[in-house]
Amino acid sequence: MTRRENNWPTALLFLAPNFLGFLAFMLLPIVFSLVMAFTNWQMTATAPLEFVGIDNFKDLLTDRRFWQFFGNTVYLMMGIPLSIAGSLVLAVVLSARLRGVVLFRTMFYLPTITSGVALFILWKAIYNPEFGPLNTMLGGLFDLFGIQADPPDWLLSIAWAKPAIMIMGIWTAIGGTNMLLYLAGISNIPPELYEAAEIDGAGRWAMFRHVTWPQLAPTTFFIVVMSAIGGLQGGFEQARVMTRGGPAESTVTLGYYIYMKGFEEYQLGYASAIAWVMFLLIFVMTLINWKFGKSAFDMDV
């Protein structure tokens, strides 16, 4: 028996904790939720557990609330391009050799490492229509320019609740992980490319257009894919803390709907079906991003 063959038991011993953790906390729950999606399982004794086939998925097609909350999710995802563009601009600025740039990077990244609940409570206070600083500032500006209008009710208004959450999400995401990824990407661009562009007489915009942007294409592709996945899954924490899904369920997303069905209405079978439909949506969207995003990357570079 060779020495490599003798090491197999030791290797398996080290791998066992990770494998058991994956089995207990990933694989088994996933398989269990898939099975539940085809049952009428409820956490109440009103109906016996039965296999209902694809009834849960058929019910989703005619579920008005599902489509409304899917629309809410897509609406909130419209802020993703703005947050990505903001992260890119911020990374370009913070990649320059400026005094105190490390301090600025830390300050912009602070919201990412701050507790989400604390941020949501802070923004809820900012959006308060009675004594929030945002409406106080807007009221002052309206008076200054003679505008006869009242500031929005923000989280209390059906029309303004989603834009308010979107604005907060953009503010949080601009200085977050995407900014760090862009900073890492910019630091890996060979300086010879900028030197060659400068010799050719390229200005700052031309260097960004023809050097920085194409070189950051893989980073942008990764950020777009991950942001789209996070956008479809997200929205629960913000809505739960800031609006409880209101007003009139205008801020409920698909992730929140799974929680409502599973832990408020106790329809675990139906909630699992929603989760698997969300998975399929994310899978299809990722395939589309991969096909078209990868083509654009190959073309630019």
Side-chain angles (χ1 to χ4, degrees):
M1 183 176 291
T2 65
R3 182 176 180 181
R4 177 176 294 181
E5 290 172 337
N6 285 333
N7 289 336
W8 271 106
T10 305
L12 290 176
L13 188 63
F14 277 102
L15 290 173
N18 281 337
F19 176 74
L20 292 176
F22 169 77
L23 196 67
F25 300 109
M26 294 289 291
L27 186 59
L28 289 180
I30 289 174
V31 173
F32 188 61
S33 71
L34 180 60
V35 174
M36 281 201 303
F38 295 94
T39 69
N40 67 340
W41 190 30
Q42 302 181 18
M43 294 179 69
T44 60
T46 55
L49 178 64
E50 292 180 356
F51 180 76
V52 296
I54 61 171
D55 284 357
N56 287 330
F57 297 95
K58 290 165 62 177
D59 291 342
L60 275 178
L61 295 176
T62 56
D63 186 347
R64 180 192 59 79
R65 298 173 79 200
F66 172 79
W67 293 109
Q68 176 190 346
F69 302 153
F70 177 67
N72 292 343
T73 306
V74 174
Y75 187 104
L76 294 177
M77 288 177 67
M78 289 192 298
I80 291 176
L82 292 176
S83 66
I84 293 176
S87 297
L88 175 60
V89 172
L90 195 58
V92 170
V93 173
L94 294 179
S95 64
R97 295 180 179 177
L98 303 173
R99 179 177 295 179
V101 70
V102 175
L103 175 63
F104 286 115
R105 290 178 183 178
T106 306
M107 289 176 60
F108 281 111
Y109 195 67
L110 272 180
T112 305
I113 59 176
T114 306
S115 168
V117 173
L119 281 180
F120 303 149
I121 293 175
L122 174 65
W123 274 90
K124 188 176 180 180
I126 292 174
Y127 282 135
N128 189 294
E130 298 295 331
F131 51 82
L134 182 57
N135 273 11
T136 302
M137 182 186 69
L138 289 176
L141 290 175
F142 289 171
D143 293 338
L144 180 64
F145 294 102
I147 299 174
Q148 300 297 322
D150 295 324
D153 287 335
W154 299 112
L155 299 175
L156 301 180
S157 163
I158 295 177
W160 282 99
K162 282 194 289 289
I165 292 179
M166 185 191 298
I167 292 170
M168 182 197 67
I170 294 172
W171 176 85
T172 306
I174 281 180
T177 305
N178 292 347
M179 180 196 71
L180 292 184
L181 290 172
Y182 274 129
L183 281 171
I186 291 173
S187 67
N188 286 328
I189 299 176
E192 294 83 5
L193 296 179
Y194 290 111
E195 292 171 4
E198 192 172 3
I199 292 173
D200 290 340
R204 289 184 178 275
W205 170 248
M207 283 195 280
F208 173 81
R209 172 68 182 85
H210 298 290
V211 178
T212 306
W213 177 247
Q215 291 295 316
L216 290 178
T219 306
T220 303
F221 174 64
F222 176 77
I223 290 175
V224 168
V225 171
M226 297 307 295
S227 298
I229 293 173
L232 272 177
Q233 293 177 327
F236 169 73
E237 297 91 346
Q238 298 92 321
R240 182 67 180 171
V241 174
M242 299 174 71
T243 64
R244 295 272 175 176
E249 298 185 331
S250 61
T251 56
V252 175
T253 60
L254 287 183
Y256 200 151
Y257 194 34
I258 293 174
Y259 171 82
M260 290 168 62
K261 280 295 180 184
F263 300 102
E264 291 183 352
E265 302 175 20
Y266 305 116
Q267 299 178 19
L268 292 180
Y270 196 74
S272 297
I274 300 172
W276 277 95
V277 169
M278 181 191 292
F279 165 76
L280 290 176
L281 289 172
I282 292 173
F283 184 70
V284 171
M285 190 174 61
T286 303
L287 288 180
I288 294 173
N289 280 334
W290 181 261
K291 178 177 176 56
F292 295 102
K294 190 171 184 294
S295 300
F297 163 68
D298 290 339
M299 181 179 62
D300 285 337
V301 177

